[in-house]
Amino acid sequence: MTDLPALAEILQTARVVALPMHTRFRGVDVREALLFEGREGWAEFSPFVEYGDAEAATWLEAAIADAWHPRPAALRDRIPVNATVPAVPAEQVPSVLARFDGCRTAKVKVAEAGQALADDVARVRAVRAEMGPEGRIRVDANAGWNVDEAERAIHALAPFDLEYVEQPCTSIAELAELRERTGYLDIPIAADESVRKATDPLAVARAGAADLLVIKAQPLGGIRRALDIVAEAGLPAVVSSALDTAVGLSLGAALAAALPTLDYDCGLGTASLFADDVADARPRDGAVSAARVTPDPAALERLQASAERRDWWVDRLTRCHAVLAQR
């Protein structure tokens, strides 16, 4: 990687934080992240703990680019966002949605391990009841179904007027088959993991396996690389986040602000899932600001991770920095 700052320069401002969550999400109750400050401001390095160094290094590349280089010009200053509903029991849906001020769209997690399709149907039904007929509902399976399960689930959820189904299956071949099987239902298929975790993020578009792409700046190596992927794919894009702190959400908002068109509400309202954060990035009137975020010093102190977890993240940062030095 060119223009790679010295490790010591990054470590000089590095802070590791642990953010408590209102509801368990993606298997975690606390979200950890490493934040640091460069010439342009603060940035976030927060690949999920199970990711290997090669994959995590791309997230570090995004953080370094954001901290040391100017962001692309913004075409808009407010970004409309969706509410995010974890795989909670249906009766908890109203309290979850109440945290997302003014959001007209909800993304509902489905295909949770240990749950049944009936749980998904009940949850989506509760979301539709809360949002009314004008609300938009999209569901995210995180590749939790095989093709037959996905087809069955889409049929069961179709009465709730879905905006799209995100990453119902794992492979591009499965997505293509599912899209062919369910095309007559006119429910678009969105690709997330098939973009951000793929060695070739454009393969899903070339295969005709998705109707739109879910784009996340950190996993793709930064805003400019994400913009290039959207332009090359030629598909509509939904900008989302990876359960980021307010600093990471600011990176996603800058990506959304730089897109030529923004046809879908973005998955950048997830600050409402946290009980505390390094700054207030919760949506207001269904939108978030595209401005860069500076963490509150008091919040950095309040939310600092244990010494053991800080050491773990610093070791990881050190290894990933070495990976980037070889690229």
Side-chain angles (χ1 to χ4, degrees), residues 238-255:
V238 182
V239 179
S240 193
S241 69
L243 198 58
D244 301 338
T245 77
V247 172
L249 288 173
S250 169
L251 176 65
L255 168 57

Side-chain angles (χ1 to χ4, degrees), residues 167-169 171-180 189 191 194 204 209:
Q167 200 69 44
C169 307
S171 73
I172 290 175
E174 288 174 318
L175 293 180
E177 181 180 350
L178 178 66
R179 191 164 175 255
E180 184 175 345
I189 302 296
S194 291
V204 69

Side-chain angles (χ1 to χ4, degrees), residues 15 30 38 76 81 85 140 163 165-166 201 263 265 278 281 292:
R15 303 293 296 267
V30 175
R76 53 193 69 84
V81 298
V85 181
D140 182 6
E163 184 180 33
V165 178
E166 181 176 332
D263 299 323
D265 291 346
V278 297
R292 183 181 282 277

Side-chain angles (χ1 to χ4, degrees), residues 87-89 109-120 123 141 144-145 149:
V88 297
K109 290 294 183 177
V110 294
E112 182 83 354
Q115 294 189 8
L117 178 56
D119 299 307
D120 296 335
R123 187 180 310 113
W145 293 317
E149 290 169 336

Side-chain angles (χ1 to χ4, degrees), residues 109-296:
K109 290 294 183 177
V110 294
E112 182 83 354
Q115 294 189 8
L117 178 56
D119 299 307
D120 296 335
V121 171
R123 187 180 310 113
V124 174
R125 179 185 290 115
V127 172
R128 175 55 71 201
E130 283 296 303
M131 300 197 73
E134 298 302 317
R136 302 170 185 170
I137 298 177
R138 55 185 69 158
V139 298
D140 182 6
N142 288 118
W145 293 317
N146 61 37
V147 177
D148 290 339
E149 290 169 336
E151 183 179 18
R152 189 178 309 115
I154 290 172
H155 277 282
L157 296 171
F160 303 110
D161 189 20
L162 300 183
E163 184 180 33
Y164 62 76
V165 178
E166 181 176 332
Q167 200 69 44
C169 307
T170 301
S171 73
I172 290 175
E174 288 174 318
L175 293 180
E177 181 180 350
L178 178 66
R179 191 164 175 255
E180 184 175 345
R181 287 195 197 182
T182 61
Y184 69 94
L185 291 171
D186 199 27
I187 298 175
I189 302 296
D192 175 11
E193 284 87 345
S194 291
V195 178
R196 65 179 169 88
K197 293 180 72 67
T199 54
D200 180 0
L202 292 168
V204 69
R206 284 197 299 267
D211 299 284
L212 58 140
L213 305 182
V214 178
I215 300 295
K216 299 177 180 177
Q218 269 206 86
L220 292 174
I223 294 175
R224 296 184 188 281
R225 176 59 178 139
L227 290 173
D228 288 345
I229 289 170
V230 173
E232 291 180 55
L235 292 175
V238 182
V239 179
S240 193
S241 69
L243 198 58
D244 301 338
T245 77
V247 172
L249 288 173
S250 169
L251 176 65
L255 168 57
L259 280 172
T261 59
L262 196 65
D263 299 323
Y264 293 88
D265 291 346
C266 298
L268 300 171
T270 50
S272 292
L273 297 174
F274 293 121
D276 201 356
D277 202 343
V278 297
D280 188 359
R282 292 173 296 177
R284 296 286 184 272
D285 193 26
V288 297
S289 170
R292 183 181 282 277
V293 165
T294 298
D296 175 23

